[in-house]
Amino acid sequence: MTKLSSDAVGHSFVINSFNIHHLVIAGVTIANKSFSDVFYTNSHYAKVGGLPLGELNQLELQFLLLNDFCLVISPAEM
């Protein structure tokens, strides 16, 4: 299964079974940072997720940019 997505600058990327774990670890990292006052460093999440630190940092930034840094769902959107 693949899903084609496009980011804010028009570049596209494919989400598939080979790279979905990258999106998941980035999402978990961001979710933990946004909901918890105490969280691990990105180097810890990268080690647990099996990613290089620089890649996790880039994924985190891209994830936030794609969501316009909006991490809370308003009641109207529910």
Side-chain angles (χ1 to χ4, degrees):
M1 173 195 287
T2 63
K3 180 178 179 179
L4 192 63
S5 302
S6 117
D7 66 16
V9 292
H11 300 289
S12 61
F13 62 94
V14 177
I15 300 171
N16 57 34
S17 60
F18 298 108
N19 63 12
I20 189 66
H21 67 282
H22 293 218
L23 182 61
V24 170
I25 194 68
V28 167
T29 301
I30 293 166
N32 193 35
K33 286 181 174 183
S34 65
F35 289 113
S36 180
D37 291 333
V38 179
F39 50 85
Y40 293 105
T41 62
N42 277 15
S43 60
H44 178 79
Y45 290 112
K47 187 174 186 179
V48 170
L51 300 173
L53 176 58
E55 185 175 349
L56 179 60
N57 290 339
Q58 285 295 320
L59 287 168
E60 182 179 16
L61 179 59
Q62 288 176 0
F63 191 98
L64 291 168
L65 287 170
L66 287 169
N67 289 294
D68 294 325
F69 290 85
C70 183
L71 301 177
V72 178
I73 300 172
S74 69
E77 292 177 308
M78 291 185 178

